[in-house]
Amino acid sequence: MDKIAEKGRNALLSVPVHYETLAGPRRRKDFINLCRLLLSKHQDRMVFELVELPEGIPQSRIADLVSALRSHARAVTAKFSLRHGYFTGYRAAGLHAVGVDVYSENRKDAEIMKMMDAFVELANKDNL
Protein backbone atom coordinates (compact mmCIF):
# COMPACT_ATOMS: atom_id res chain seq x y z
CA MET A 1 0.00 0.00 0.00
CA ASP A 2 2.87 2.36 0.73
CA LYS A 3 4.31 1.85 -2.76
CA ILE A 4 0.93 2.33 -4.41
CA ALA A 5 0.39 5.55 -2.47
CA GLU A 6 3.91 6.79 -3.25
CA LYS A 7 3.24 6.36 -6.96
CA GLY A 8 0.05 8.36 -6.64
CA ARG A 9 -2.12 5.54 -7.93
CA ASN A 10 -5.74 5.26 -7.01
CA ALA A 11 -6.48 1.78 -5.73
CA LEU A 12 -8.61 0.09 -3.14
CA LEU A 13 -7.55 -2.95 -1.19
CA SER A 14 -10.36 -5.28 -0.17
CA VAL A 15 -9.43 -7.44 2.80
CA PRO A 16 -11.61 -10.36 3.88
CA VAL A 17 -12.06 -10.57 7.64
CA HIS A 18 -13.46 -13.77 9.10
CA TYR A 19 -16.29 -13.45 11.59
CA GLU A 20 -14.31 -15.43 14.18
CA THR A 21 -11.51 -12.87 14.01
CA LEU A 22 -13.88 -10.23 15.39
CA ALA A 23 -16.31 -12.33 17.44
CA GLY A 24 -14.25 -12.51 20.62
CA PRO A 25 -12.96 -9.42 22.42
CA ARG A 26 -9.31 -10.52 22.57
CA ARG A 27 -8.99 -11.42 18.88
CA ARG A 28 -10.89 -8.29 17.87
CA LYS A 29 -8.59 -6.11 19.95
CA ASP A 30 -5.50 -7.75 18.40
CA PHE A 31 -6.88 -7.30 14.89
CA ILE A 32 -7.84 -3.66 15.45
CA ASN A 33 -4.40 -2.95 16.93
CA LEU A 34 -2.81 -4.40 13.78
CA CYS A 35 -5.05 -2.21 11.64
CA ARG A 36 -4.04 0.83 13.66
CA LEU A 37 -0.36 -0.07 13.37
CA LEU A 38 -0.21 -1.12 9.72
CA LEU A 39 -3.05 0.62 7.94
CA SER A 40 -3.69 3.94 9.66
CA LYS A 41 -2.38 6.06 6.79
CA HIS A 42 -4.25 3.99 4.20
CA GLN A 43 -7.73 3.84 5.68
CA ASP A 44 -9.14 5.78 2.70
CA ARG A 45 -7.96 2.93 0.45
CA MET A 46 -9.17 0.01 2.58
CA VAL A 47 -12.39 -1.99 2.27
CA PHE A 48 -13.05 -4.75 4.79
CA GLU A 49 -15.25 -7.65 3.72
CA LEU A 50 -16.85 -9.66 6.53
CA VAL A 51 -16.88 -13.36 5.62
CA GLU A 52 -18.28 -16.56 7.16
CA LEU A 53 -20.97 -14.70 9.06
CA PRO A 54 -23.33 -17.04 10.90
CA GLU A 55 -26.73 -17.56 9.30
CA GLY A 56 -29.35 -15.31 10.84
CA ILE A 57 -26.85 -12.88 12.35
CA PRO A 58 -28.85 -9.99 13.84
CA GLN A 59 -28.50 -6.36 12.81
CA SER A 60 -27.09 -5.44 16.21
CA ARG A 61 -24.22 -7.92 15.80
CA ILE A 62 -23.49 -6.65 12.29
CA ALA A 63 -23.45 -3.09 13.66
CA ASP A 64 -20.99 -4.15 16.35
CA LEU A 65 -18.61 -5.71 13.79
CA VAL A 66 -18.91 -2.81 11.36
CA SER A 67 -18.23 -0.22 14.04
CA ALA A 68 -15.03 -2.05 15.00
CA LEU A 69 -13.79 -1.86 11.41
CA ARG A 70 -15.28 1.34 10.04
CA SER A 71 -12.76 3.77 11.51
CA HIS A 72 -9.98 1.85 9.74
CA ALA A 73 -11.52 1.63 6.28
CA ARG A 74 -13.37 3.44 3.56
CA ALA A 75 -16.18 0.88 3.65
CA VAL A 76 -17.27 -2.42 5.16
CA THR A 77 -19.02 -5.05 3.07
CA ALA A 78 -20.17 -8.59 3.84
CA LYS A 79 -20.29 -11.87 1.95
CA PHE A 80 -23.24 -14.22 2.42
CA SER A 81 -24.42 -17.52 1.01
CA LEU A 82 -26.72 -17.48 -2.01
CA ARG A 83 -29.53 -18.69 0.24
CA HIS A 84 -29.29 -15.72 2.57
CA GLY A 85 -32.49 -13.77 2.26
CA TYR A 86 -32.63 -11.26 5.08
CA PHE A 87 -30.91 -7.88 4.78
CA THR A 88 -33.29 -5.58 6.65
CA GLY A 89 -31.29 -3.22 8.81
CA TYR A 90 -27.88 -4.20 7.49
CA ARG A 91 -27.49 -0.85 5.68
CA ALA A 92 -28.45 0.97 8.89
CA ALA A 93 -25.89 -1.22 10.69
CA GLY A 94 -23.21 0.31 8.48
CA LEU A 95 -22.69 -2.18 5.65
CA HIS A 96 -21.89 -0.56 2.34
CA ALA A 97 -22.72 -3.60 0.19
CA VAL A 98 -23.28 -7.35 0.27
CA GLY A 99 -22.00 -10.08 -2.01
CA VAL A 100 -21.94 -13.82 -2.52
CA ASP A 101 -19.33 -16.51 -2.93
CA VAL A 102 -20.32 -19.03 -5.59
CA TYR A 103 -17.00 -20.86 -5.70
CA SER A 104 -18.22 -23.99 -3.92
CA GLU A 105 -21.72 -24.10 -5.41
CA ASN A 106 -22.36 -27.48 -7.01
CA ARG A 107 -25.29 -26.32 -9.09
CA LYS A 108 -25.85 -25.64 -12.75
CA ASP A 109 -25.05 -22.12 -13.89
CA ALA A 110 -28.71 -21.41 -14.72
CA GLU A 111 -29.74 -22.30 -11.16
CA ILE A 112 -26.93 -20.21 -9.65
CA MET A 113 -27.93 -17.23 -11.79
CA LYS A 114 -31.55 -17.58 -10.70
CA MET A 115 -30.45 -17.64 -7.06
CA MET A 116 -28.16 -14.65 -7.62
CA ASP A 117 -31.03 -12.69 -9.18
CA ALA A 118 -33.15 -13.39 -6.08
CA PHE A 119 -30.25 -12.41 -3.80
CA VAL A 120 -29.73 -9.14 -5.68
CA GLU A 121 -33.43 -8.32 -5.60
CA LEU A 122 -33.56 -8.77 -1.82
CA ALA A 123 -30.33 -6.82 -1.27
CA ASN A 124 -31.54 -3.98 -3.49
CA LYS A 125 -34.72 -3.66 -1.43
CA ASP A 126 -32.49 -2.69 1.48
CA ASN A 127 -30.19 -0.43 -0.58
CA LEU A 128 -27.32 -2.87 -0.57
Side-chain angles (χ1 to χ4, degrees):
M1 287 304 292
D2 288 335
K3 287 182 182 182
I4 290 171
E6 286 170 10
K7 292 180 181 181
R9 296 211 172 111
N10 291 329
L12 293 177
L13 177 62
S14 180
V15 177
V17 181
H18 197 281
Y19 170 77
E20 290 298 325
T21 301
L22 302 173
R26 180 68 188 152
R27 288 173 120 179
R28 180 185 307 189
K29 182 180 176 189
D30 290 346
F31 184 81
I32 296 303
N33 284 339
L34 279 173
C35 289
R36 200 172 286 122
L37 178 70
L38 301 174
L39 305 173
S40 63
K41 61 185 175 184
H42 301 294
Q43 61 192 30
D44 60 326
R45 297 173 182 265
M46 302 298 302
V47 175
F48 287 115
E49 179 184 49
L50 296 168
V51 298
E52 299 293 327
L53 294 167
E55 198 64 38
I57 187 168
Q59 174 190 350
S60 59
R61 190 66 169 139
I62 294 277
D64 186 39
L65 301 175
V66 170
S67 69
L69 296 173
R70 187 63 181 97
S71 62
H72 303 284
R74 179 185 197 123
V76 180
T77 65
K79 190 182 293 184
F80 293 95
S81 76
L82 273 173
R83 292 168 238 19
H84 192 88
Y86 179 80
F87 300 106
T88 301
Y90 288 5
R91 174 60 117 182
L95 283 182
H96 180 75
V98 294
V100 295
D101 182 4
V102 296
Y103 178 76
S104 62
E105 288 290 329
N106 293 326
R107 302 172 191 276
K108 294 185 181 213
D109 287 350
E111 187 177 354
I112 290 172
M113 292 306 295
K114 186 176 180 179
M115 292 174 78
M116 284 181 68
D117 287 342
F119 182 95
V120 168
E121 186 176 325
L122 288 168
N124 280 337
K125 285 180 182 176
D126 289 300
N127 297 316
L128 293 166

